[in-house]
Amino acid sequence: PDAEPHVVGDRVYVYGSHDIFNGLNFCLGDYVCWSAPVDDLGNWRYEGCIYKREQDPAAPRIRLTNGLAAPDMVQGPDGRFYLYYFMGGTKMISVAVCDEPAGKYEFYGYVHDKKGDRLGERPGDEPQFDPGVLTEGARTYLYTGFCGRGDKTRHGAMATVLGPDMITIEEEPVFVAPGGEYA
């Protein structure tokens, strides 16, 4: 579920969460990737596991029913590939990095401000959820949010600007769309 396609060179790569048959919750599997030539989308190749949940230092503190949800990938200005994701049981966005779009990603850190405080855990922050990322030049736009009907604790989808290191906040989050209870 939660698939995000990205074209890199002459291939399209699909990143998504990974359910486990009869799992206790959604998205309990590690991240895997699939790819296909852009001119032959019927010829998919399984790229294998690109990131394991236990690579994130937050994973051991989290119940096994909390999964890796809705990843998104973007190529940074340094040419490396950054995988942004949300892990159930946390309020923050985690980042992994790799030199290839479907290689073995390594944990990079958590989105944070210039003081090192993690987005989603600071006083006044709303919990982060389901990241989407877009990089233009040295600026990366991180979109997050989940705010369905009945949830008055979250006010809407947010956009945060990250710097060229792909993880440090340059511009604080702003609400870009109201949540279900505030629309």
Side-chain angles (χ1 to χ4, degrees):
D2 303 322
E4 293 288 343
H6 291 279
V7 174
V8 179
D10 63 352
R11 295 190 75 76
V12 60
Y13 294 86
V14 175
Y15 305 85
S17 51
H18 184 193
D19 287 345
I20 293 177
F21 183 72
N22 282 336
L24 298 174
N25 204 345
F26 300 108
C27 310
L28 294 178
D30 297 322
Y31 286 136
V32 299
C33 184
W34 292 81
S35 74
V38 293
D39 59 354
D40 186 7
L41 296 180
N43 187 15
W44 289 93
R45 175 174 73 203
Y46 175 63
E47 299 286 353
C49 179
I50 61 169
Y51 189 74
K52 293 181 176 290
R53 65 179 292 119
E54 59 266 10
Q55 289 177 251
D56 189 312
R61 298 189 314 262
I62 297 172
R63 299 184 332 238
L64 294 177
T65 57
N66 294 83
L68 294 171
D72 198 7
M73 186 280 298
V74 70
Q75 189 169 13
D78 61 0
R80 298 190 304 166
F81 299 89
Y82 293 83
L83 187 70
Y84 292 76
Y85 62 95
F86 168 79
M87 183 181 290
T90 72
K91 297 178 181 180
M92 60 204 166
I93 299 297
S94 302
V95 185
V97 65
C98 187
D99 292 332
E100 308 168 35
K104 301 295 182 198
Y105 282 76
E106 296 295 328
F107 180 75
Y108 183 56
Y110 305 106
V111 173
H112 60 271
D113 62 22
K114 292 177 181 170
K115 295 185 302 182
D117 295 330
R118 297 187 292 211
L119 178 64
E121 294 184 335
R122 305 173 304 172
D125 279 353
E126 293 202 8
Q128 301 296 295
F129 193 80
D130 286 1
V133 288
L134 171 68
T135 294
E136 292 179 332
R139 293 168 66 92
T140 296
Y141 300 89
L142 170 66
Y143 298 93
T144 58
F146 176 80
C147 24
R149 291 211 137 193
D151 185 354
K152 292 187 177 187
T153 66
R154 301 174 191 207
H155 290 85
M158 297 165 272
T160 305
V161 178
L162 305 177
D165 69 356
M166 306 297 288
I167 201 164
T168 304
I169 298 169
E170 284 209 349
E171 293 180 24
E172 289 291 326
V174 295
F175 290 102
V176 294
E181 293 298 315
Y182 300 96

